[in-house]
């Protein structure tokens, strides 16, 4: 307008989204109830397993959420639908650090230490795994924030702040509370409910069968994507329009009702309305029916206006939203999504190379690819279309998968450093079994909020919750049955002495710490 368009170049909107106030308010209300339900489930779970310690963890979680909401408000970030999902996910992930600490605490108490000594040792030993797992997830969130835009950026912001606030809640708030109650002699022993017996299972012997099963499921996943082709992509990636309609509870509209309204319409350029598809999804929280009308790019606004004019006044429709994405924007979204995924996976691998030996980094990376590559085909198999929201979900899965694997690998290195006798296979089996309780406990804590989203959230939340649920299950499975067997296989095939490498790294670390201490002492004298 300012340049008076001297080249007479026509302007064309490439991407547009409109949400009615009723539709938006419904999402906010559901977000509140889903968050409360997720918090309630997590609270009951922690109290059942860890009792008094679980209560301390919940206090830390409340502080964590207060910091998160305060930061979002302070920096004036907009809370989007994926952002609400990010909040719910943060509840599940925040408890993970507490479970890791409490499982360590139980081990230290069983070894005969006092509560004060057990607490000190538990926090110190758990810190490495907590820091590594949170850093890898933070890498994914930062890359997602830098490359993606729109709704997913809100999820990335929520996840980044949530990771930092969960570290404060788990490592500082809970520790201060424990120190206070111990100093006041209010607590002398902590009781927990044991889920997994203290026994060593030969898990690695079952690895070949699970790897074959993984290959079969991966083939099914890839086959689904190949069969569906472009129809597996949502409008975010292939362009087009989508009108979402929310019916009032108890109201119904048949496809023929929509056909009667839509078919006579014209697109914004005057052409015929073109091809459209109608999909129905039940909203378990309200009992209402959500209808998605997939259409051509220039048909969305016309369909939205006609549907609202026909059924809003009589109360049949409570809200609508319309989104249109041009082919250029769709191509850019797909390109940036591939870049985000690729950069995140490479960055995580580099970090693992820095923190662990190559065999561990290789096993963790293969398990990570196993999880991330399998999820898209499975969600398409369950009837979803891939969208930008799935990119955020996949990067979250990457962080969770690495989180689980790092905890197992951290314990394997610790067992090697302790100089426990036996073969590498025996040492790894013992380490895996010692983390088995923690692995099988953190799965439900992360899944509880996602299950709430699956059964109580609206279809937009379901789009995020389904891949996360599948990813959490895969991440728990792959950390035990994929990553660890690959480390053992690589060590045997290459003739690598993994024990020697771990012990050499420990010696180098001790030398570095001594050098730092000597430098600090010299500085103090000066």
């Amino acid at each position: 307008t300012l340049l008076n368009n001297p080249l007479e170049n026509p302007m064309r909107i490439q991407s547009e989204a409109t949400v009615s106030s009723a539709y938006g308010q419904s999402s906010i209300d559901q977000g509140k109830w889903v968050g409360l339900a997720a918090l309630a489930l997590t609270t009951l779970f922690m109290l059942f397993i860890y009792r008094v310690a679980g209560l301390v963890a919940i206090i830390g979680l409340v502080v964590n959420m207060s910091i998160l909401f305060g930061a979002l408000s302070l920096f004036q970030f907009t809370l989007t639908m994926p952002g609400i999902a990010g909040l719910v996910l943060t509840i599940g992930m925040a408890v993970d650090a507490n479970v890791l600490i409490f499982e360590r605490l139980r081990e230290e108490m069983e070894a005969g230490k006092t509560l004060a000594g057990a607490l000190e040792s538990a926090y110190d030993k758990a810190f490495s795994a907590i820091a590594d797992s949170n850093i890898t997830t933070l890498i994914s969130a930062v890359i997602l924030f830098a490359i993606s835009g729109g709704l997913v950026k809100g999820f990335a912001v929520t996840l980044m702040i949530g990771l930092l606030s969960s570290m404060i809640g788990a490592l500082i708030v809970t520790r201060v509370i424990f120190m206070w109650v111990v100093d006041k002699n209010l607590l002398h022993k902590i009781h927990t409910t044991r889920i997994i017996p203290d026994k060593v299972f030969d898990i690695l012997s079952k690895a070949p069968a699970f790897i074959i099963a993984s290959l079969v499921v991966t083939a099914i996943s890839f086959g689904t994507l190949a069969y569906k082709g472009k129809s597996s992509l949502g409008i975010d990636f292939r362009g087009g329009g989508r009108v979402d309609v929310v019916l009032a509870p108890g109201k119904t509209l048949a496809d023929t009702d929509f056909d009667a309204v839509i078919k006579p319409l014209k697109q914004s350029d005057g052409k015929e309305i073109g091809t459209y598809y109608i999909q129905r999804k039940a909203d378990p929280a309200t009992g209402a029916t959500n209808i998605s009308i997939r259409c051509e790019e220039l048909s969305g606004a016309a369909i939205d206006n006609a549907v609202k004019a026909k059924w809003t006044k009589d109360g049949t429709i409570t809200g609508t939203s319309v989104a249109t994405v041009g082919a250029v924007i769709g191509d850019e979204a797909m390109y940036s999504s591939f870049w985000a995924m690729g950069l995140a996976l490479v960055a995580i691998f580099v970090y693992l190379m820095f923190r662990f030996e190559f065999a561990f980094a290789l096993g963790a990376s293969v398990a990570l690819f196993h999880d991330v590559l399998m999820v898209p085909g499975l969600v398409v198999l369950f009837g979803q279309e891939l969208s930008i929201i799935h990119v955020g979900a996949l990067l979250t899965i990457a962080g969770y998968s690495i989180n689980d694997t790092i905890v197992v690998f951290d314990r394997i290195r610790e067992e090697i450093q302790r100089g426990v006798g036996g073969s590498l296979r025996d040492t790894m089996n013992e380490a895996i079994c010692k983390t088995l309780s923690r692995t099988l406990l953190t799965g439900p804590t992360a899944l509880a909020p996602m299950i709430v989203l699956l059964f109580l959230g609206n279809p937009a939340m379901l789009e995020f919750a389904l891949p996360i649920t599948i990813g959490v299950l895969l991440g728990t499975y792959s950390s035990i049955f994929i990553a660890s067997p690959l480390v053992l296989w690589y060590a045997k095939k290459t003739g690598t002495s993994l024990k020697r490498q771990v012990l050499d790294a420990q010696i180098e670390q001790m030398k570095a710490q001594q050098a730092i201490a000597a430098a600090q002492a010299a500085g103090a004298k000066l």
Side-chain angles (χ1 to χ4, degrees):
T1 302
L2 294 174
L3 295 175
N4 294 318
N5 197 11
L7 299 179
E8 298 183 357
N9 205 15
M11 184 187 75
R12 181 180 175 188
I13 295 173
Q14 288 292 324
S15 179
E16 184 178 11
T18 305
V19 180
S20 69
S21 58
Y23 189 91
Q25 187 60 46
S26 173
S27 298
I28 292 171
D29 293 339
Q30 286 195 33
K32 291 176 182 177
W33 284 111
V34 166
L36 290 173
L39 185 60
L41 273 179
T42 305
T43 300
L44 291 173
F45 180 82
M46 292 299 291
L47 291 177
F48 172 72
I49 300 295
Y50 296 112
R51 305 172 197 179
V52 174
L55 179 61
V56 174
I58 296 303
I59 295 173
L61 179 59
V62 170
V63 173
N64 168 18
M65 299 304 293
S66 300
I67 294 172
L68 177 56
F69 277 110
L72 290 173
S73 177
L74 178 65
F75 297 110
Q76 299 183 358
F77 287 120
T78 303
L79 192 60
T80 60
M81 180 70 71
I84 293 173
L87 286 173
V88 176
L89 180 63
T90 299
I91 295 174
M93 295 184 68
V95 181
D96 178 71
N98 290 120
V99 171
L100 188 59
I101 293 168
F102 295 163
E103 286 299 301
R104 284 284 193 171
L105 179 60
R106 180 179 56 79
E107 291 178 18
E108 299 298 324
M109 292 286 290
E110 289 175 353
K113 291 186 179 181
T114 63
L115 180 57
L119 283 167
E120 187 73 22
S121 182
Y123 276 93
D124 289 344
K125 288 183 177 180
F127 177 78
S128 174
I130 293 172
D132 284 336
S133 58
N134 277 272
I135 288 171
T136 51
T137 307
L138 190 61
I139 288 171
S140 298
V142 169
I143 291 174
L144 190 63
F145 176 81
I147 293 181
S148 299
L151 296 176
V152 181
K153 186 164 285 191
F155 167 75
V157 168
T158 306
L159 186 59
M160 284 191 290
I161 298 174
L163 284 170
L164 296 174
S165 62
S166 66
M167 292 279 282
I168 295 173
L171 295 177
I172 297 177
V173 175
T174 59
R175 191 167 188 172
V176 168
I177 294 173
F178 277 126
M179 289 170 60
W180 181 78
V181 295
V182 169
D183 288 343
K184 297 292 184 181
N185 288 320
L186 299 176
L187 190 64
H188 301 282
K189 193 173 182 180
I190 289 180
H191 299 277
T192 63
T193 302
R194 182 185 288 276
I195 302 296
I196 305 298
D198 191 8
K199 183 180 177 183
V200 177
F201 304 96
D202 189 9
I203 291 176
L204 293 175
S205 66
K206 307 295 189 298
F210 285 104
I211 290 175
I212 292 173
S214 291
L215 291 174
V216 171
V217 176
T218 302
I220 293 173
S221 174
F222 277 51
T224 302
L225 291 175
Y227 175 76
K228 291 260 188 174
K230 281 192 174 182
S231 62
S232 65
L233 303 177
I235 66 169
D236 291 342
F237 294 139
R238 65 178 178 181
R242 186 186 72 230
V243 179
D244 292 315
V245 179
V246 181
L247 301 184
K251 298 289 186 178
T252 58
L253 287 174
D255 288 359
T256 52
D257 295 325
F258 284 100
D259 291 340
V261 173
I262 295 173
K263 285 185 176 179
L265 299 175
K266 300 288 185 181
Q267 293 185 155
S268 57
D269 60 355
K271 296 181 180 178
E272 297 294 326
I273 203 66
T275 305
Y276 61 90
Y277 305 93
I278 298 175
Q279 294 177 317
R280 298 172 183 272
K281 297 177 183 177
D283 191 332
T286 62
T289 300
N290 290 261
I291 298 174
S292 289
I293 305 171
R294 309 289 173 128
C295 57
E296 295 181 9
E297 179 187 346
L298 300 180
S299 302
I303 292 175
D304 181 54
N305 291 332
V307 167
K308 286 192 293 188
K310 176 71 175 177
W311 289 299
T312 299
K313 290 183 179 180
D314 64 3
T316 302
I317 289 177
T318 61
T320 66
S321 73
V322 57
T324 59
V325 178
V328 173
I329 298 296
D331 289 342
E332 288 180 357
M334 182 173 290
Y335 180 76
S336 64
S337 298
F338 277 121
W339 268 106
M341 286 300 304
L343 283 175
L345 295 176
V346 169
I348 290 173
F349 178 73
V350 170
Y351 180 78
L352 291 174
M353 283 286 294
F354 171 74
R355 288 288 293 132
F356 290 85
E357 289 70 33
F358 180 78
F360 289 118
L362 178 65
S365 298
V366 173
L368 175 59
F369 273 96
H370 163 275
D371 300 341
V372 170
L373 293 177
M374 199 180 290
V375 170
L378 292 179
V379 297
V380 170
L381 185 64
F382 285 114
Q384 290 193 350
E385 294 179 342
L386 298 179
S387 66
I388 290 291
I389 290 178
H390 287 91
V391 178
L394 286 175
L395 287 176
T396 304
I397 291 166
Y400 183 85
S401 175
I402 286 293
N403 184 342
D404 245 11
T405 306
I406 282 175
V407 171
V408 176
F409 285 177
D410 201 65
R411 182 55 73 95
I412 291 173
R413 289 203 307 178
E414 184 181 324
E415 292 298 312
I416 292 175
Q417 290 168 355
R418 282 177 56 206
V420 178
S423 65
L424 177 61
R425 182 194 188 94
D426 293 337
T427 302
M428 292 181 68
N429 268 325
E430 185 171 349
I432 292 170
C433 290
K434 284 187 175 180
T435 59
L436 199 58
S437 178
R438 174 264 165 202
T439 301
L440 296 181
L441 284 174
T442 53
T445 57
L447 279 176
M450 292 300 105
I451 291 173
V452 171
L453 283 177
L454 282 174
F455 290 100
L456 296 180
N458 60 28
M461 290 183 177
L462 179 64
E463 190 175 8
F464 184 86
L466 180 60
I468 291 290
T469 301
I470 296 173
V472 168
L473 293 172
L474 286 175
T476 303
Y477 158 82
S478 66
S479 64
I480 300 172
F481 297 109
I482 302 296
S484 298
L486 283 173
V487 172
L488 183 62
W489 172 84
Y490 177 83
K492 285 184 175 181
K493 285 294 182 182
T494 60
T496 302
S497 176
L498 195 58
K499 287 188 174 184
R500 185 71 266 161
Q501 288 185 351
V502 171
L503 293 175
D504 287 344
Q506 184 185 25
I507 292 171
E508 292 297 323
Q509 185 179 5
M510 291 174 63
K511 288 180 179 179
Q513 290 173 346
Q514 290 172 356
I516 293 172
Q520 289 175 340
K525 287 181 180 179
L526 291 174

